[in-house]
Amino acid sequence: MTGNRDNPDRDNLLDRAIDAVLRAGTPGEPPPDRVAGLLAAVERAASEPDCLTFRERIKTMRFRAQVAVAATALIVVLGLLPRLIPGAGDSVAFGDVAETLTKVRSATWKTQYEVKGPGDEIRKWSGVGMFLTPSHERMEITADGKTNVTVIDGEKNKLLTLDPPTKTATVIDVRNAPGEGPFGRTFQGLQEMVAAAHRGEGGQVERLSGEEIDGRRTECFRIRRGAIEVKIWADPKTFLPVRVEETTAGDEKTRIVMTDFQVDKDLDKSLFSLDVPAGYTVEQTLQLDAAAKPITTVAEALKMAAEFNDGVFPPELRGEQGIDGIVRQGMTAWEKEHANDPPEQKRAKVAKLALTLGGAFGVILSLPPDSVHYAGKDVKLDTPDRPIFWCPSLGKEKGGYQVIYADLTIREMSAEEAAKLLPSK
């Protein structure tokens, strides 16, 4: 059953956009593919009725949790997360897992997604994933009995998302993508994450007590990267994963579990075709520019919040008085003022906002909490020489800091220089 579109509360475009991201699902290792279809989901959400059953299940989730789910995906879909956080840790057994994973040429798996919201309510949806070397993926996400399909070509930097109930398709092309390509990174991302952690470049590795899973003895390893924790249970004989579990800390915790791995099986290449199936209509053809550095999305989000707050940066970084809370309030007012605007203009506004917030919180959540500093309270936009946000450099440079100023300039400085900045508030 579809919802009543005359109800203004249900017509809030921003809520519907993030709801669509959650409906689309977030695959395991952090989830690049389904929320790689963020733009497609946003566009559909702004123009089509919602399935109220699933919407009601997620509507009680606070906005910052909704953003967090999208954020983790966005930062990975651009191929950035493995490069954000320097780390250390190594072990011979873990190295065997990394080496074995790297050699996998095809794989299938099942994924379960859980979001624990207010009142300990747990919302769940599921998915089936497929990987084919070098960078092809297919994800089928099911929620409330409805399945959406996303096919990704990491070599062409192109994504096709299909909505079987409406027989509509959306095509996304990525411009200025990193050399290795941003898409096709659910299983490939798991491969790269484990390899980077083994080299001491992608998080801190710990060995945990193994346990028996489905009658199989396993060895367990944990990788910590900022607010994200990934556990891998591996078969000690084959070194292949038996179970992968990712959790993201926050007021509402997300948990993504990958199981039932089958590797190096023959997969029909037609499953990864980007051709629009017969009977489907191409609803949108979109382009996503991946050239911007991750820190620029934080600057853009801070600017957006300031513009919604009479030109003053928010009192806090996150929460009701943070970027997410102020932008949400501002968008509610904007929607009323622009109620009669053409639908495509509204969708463009929501798409830009969702991408900006997703990218910004992806950066923030990928960093250790004590390394992120915010000092924007009561500071006006464009105030000269006033630092409002700083964090460790996001990229290959290590040991330095990136600082956002109130005029939105971004500067690099040493850790010693950053330590002399204003204390965070």
Side-chain angles (χ1 to χ4, degrees):
M1 177 175 13
T2 57
N4 179 2
R5 298 190 62 148
D6 293 328
N7 184 332
D9 182 53
R10 300 198 191 285
D11 257 354
N12 182 288
L13 291 179
L14 181 57
D15 279 343
R16 294 174 66 200
I18 304 300
D19 286 350
V21 173
L22 293 178
R23 284 202 310 275
T26 49
E29 177 334 71
D33 50 345
R34 276 306 301 166
V35 192
L38 174 65
L39 279 174
V42 167
E43 292 287 339
R44 287 198 305 273
S47 61
E48 296 181 2
D50 289 321
C51 173
L52 273 190
T53 302
F54 188 61
R55 175 172 166 74
E56 290 300 331
R57 291 171 60 200
I58 64 178
K59 187 172 177 59
T60 55
M61 187 187 306
R62 286 197 289 271
F63 178 70
R64 60 179 175 270
Q66 296 172 327
V67 169
V69 174
T72 302
L74 274 171
I75 205 66
V76 179
V77 76
L78 298 181
L80 299 169
L81 190 54
R83 291 175 276 169
L84 292 181
I85 307 300
D90 191 8
S91 72
V92 173
F94 188 74
D96 292 335
V97 173
E99 182 180 359
T100 302
L101 268 177
T102 301
K103 296 177 180 178
V104 171
R105 313 306 294 169
S106 68
T108 63
W109 64 92
K110 295 180 181 178
T111 309
Q112 295 292 326
Y113 315 102
E114 295 182 2
V115 179
K116 185 177 181 181
D120 291 333
E121 177 188 3
I122 297 178
R123 292 160 295 279
K124 300 180 180 181
W125 54 103
S126 61
V128 175
M130 305 177 191
F131 165 76
L132 183 64
T133 189
S135 190
H136 305 278
E137 288 203 350
R138 178 187 177 96
M139 284 299 301
E140 301 174 0
I141 302 297
T142 301
D144 290 331
K146 295 185 176 181
T147 301
N148 283 60
V149 178
T150 296
V151 180
I152 302 163
D153 189 325
E155 291 183 302
K156 296 180 179 178
N157 292 322
K158 192 172 183 178
L159 176 149
L160 172 68
T161 181
L162 304 173
D163 185 20
T166 62
K167 293 294 182 181
T168 56
T170 298
V171 178
I172 299 178
D173 286 306
V174 178
R175 298 176 297 171
N176 302 315
E180 66 273 20
F183 288 152
R185 289 188 172 277
T186 304
F187 192 87
Q188 185 181 352
L190 176 62
Q191 292 174 314
E192 295 175 355
M193 177 196 68
V194 171
H198 175 58
R199 295 193 303 267
E201 298 175 354
Q204 185 174 10
V205 180
E206 300 175 67
R207 178 188 288 274
L208 303 180
S209 298
E211 58 185 87
E212 188 173 292
I213 299 177
D214 296 331
R216 301 167 65 183
R217 186 173 68 84
T218 65
E219 298 288 341
C220 185
F221 302 91
R222 177 169 57 196
I223 303 173
R224 294 181 183 272
R225 299 183 300 182
I228 300 171
E229 176 183 284
V230 179
K231 293 181 181 178
I232 300 172
W233 288 265
D235 187 312
K237 295 181 179 179
T238 66
F239 306 122
L240 289 169
V242 175
R243 177 185 176 96
V244 176
E245 179 177 320
E246 175 200 327
T247 56
T248 302
D251 293 338
E252 290 87 359
K253 294 184 178 180
T254 65
R255 187 167 74 108
I256 303 166
V257 179
M258 299 171 70
T259 59
D260 295 270
F261 291 92
Q262 298 290 324
V263 304
D264 293 332
K265 304 293 184 181
D266 290 334
L267 296 178
D268 190 336
K269 292 185 178 180
S270 66
L271 291 168
F272 305 91
S273 173
L274 293 175
D275 295 334
V276 177
Y280 277 73
T281 301
V282 178
E283 186 181 48
Q284 295 284 338
T285 299
L286 304 169
Q287 288 189 330
L288 176 65
D289 193 337
K293 294 181 179 181
I295 192 68
T296 62
T297 61
V298 180
E300 291 172 3
L302 286 167
K303 177 185 178 183
M304 188 179 292
E307 290 174 341
F308 279 129
N309 194 41
D310 297 323
V312 179
F313 290 105
E316 303 171 356
L317 194 60
R318 299 173 59 189
E320 290 303 312
Q321 295 301 311
I323 294 174
D324 43 353
I326 288 176
V327 169
R328 180 176 187 172
Q329 297 167 29
M331 277 300 293
T332 299
W334 182 89
E335 288 169 12
K336 293 179 180 179
E337 294 174 4
H338 297 265
N340 297 322
D341 285 4
E344 60 271 16
Q345 292 184 13
K346 293 182 181 180
R347 291 196 295 267
K349 177 78 171 181
V350 173
K352 177 177 175 56
L353 183 144
L355 284 171
T356 301
L357 290 182
F361 281 96
V363 170
I364 293 168
L365 290 172
S366 296
L367 292 164
D370 59 359
S371 72
V372 176
H373 304 273
Y374 179 68
K377 182 180 180 180
D378 298 328
V379 178
K380 290 185 177 182
L381 180 65
D382 292 327
T383 299
D385 299 321
R386 180 63 188 270
I388 59 170
F389 176 93
W390 57 99
C391 66
S393 295
L394 305 172
K396 296 181 180 180
E397 303 82 4
K398 296 180 181 180
Y401 270 71
Q402 291 176 314
V403 184
I404 300 174
Y405 286 76
D407 62 0
L408 303 179
T409 57
I410 299 173
R411 304 177 190 174
E412 298 277 350
M413 63 178 59
S414 67
E416 292 74 17
E417 291 174 310
K420 299 176 183 179
L421 296 175
L422 295 172
S424 58
K425 295 182 181 181

